[in-house]
Amino acid sequence: YPLRRQRQMCIRDRRNTMSKTEKALEKMPFLIRVHRSYIANLNQMNGISQNTIDLGGQSIPYSIPYKEQLESNVEELTS
């Protein structure tokens, strides 16, 4: 079977929380938290639907508390 390239990264670190990881990525506006469990790379984003983001054929959820930041960052990156 051919191997499929993945553009997904999973970080498991017992010392850092998602909040600490998010703070470490503040200097990269294209990497933003979009859900309690997800940080998305907006450079890989193909589209946004009602409550999901399409990242290269894979959909991940985004939640209401992060919607405003997501829209703001998308607008900033596309202008």
Side-chain angles (χ1 to χ4, degrees):
Y1 296 96
L3 294 176
R4 193 172 72 169
R5 289 190 99 183
Q6 295 283 330
R7 288 189 178 147
Q8 178 179 356
M9 180 171 52
C10 179
I11 299 173
R12 297 182 195 272
D13 189 342
R14 296 183 193 272
R15 295 169 293 186
N16 286 326
T17 62
M18 281 290 278
S19 295
K20 288 180 182 177
T21 303
E22 183 180 18
K23 280 190 179 222
L25 298 173
E26 280 181 346
K27 294 179 182 174
M28 297 178 221
F30 55 91
L31 293 173
I32 65 163
R33 190 166 184 178
V34 295
H35 187 274
R36 181 178 70 134
S37 303
Y38 294 95
I39 293 175
N41 181 344
L42 299 182
N43 289 333
Q44 299 296 319
M45 184 179 73
N46 294 332
I48 300 175
S49 66
Q50 187 173 354
N51 60 352
T52 61
I53 302 168
D54 180 30
L55 296 171
Q58 182 174 2
S59 294
I60 63 167
Y62 71 88
S63 56
I64 300 298
Y66 301 103
K67 183 178 181 180
E68 188 174 311
Q69 179 187 4
L70 172 64
E71 291 172 346
S72 171
N73 283 42
V74 166
E75 184 177 312
E76 186 179 306
L77 288 172
T78 57
S79 59

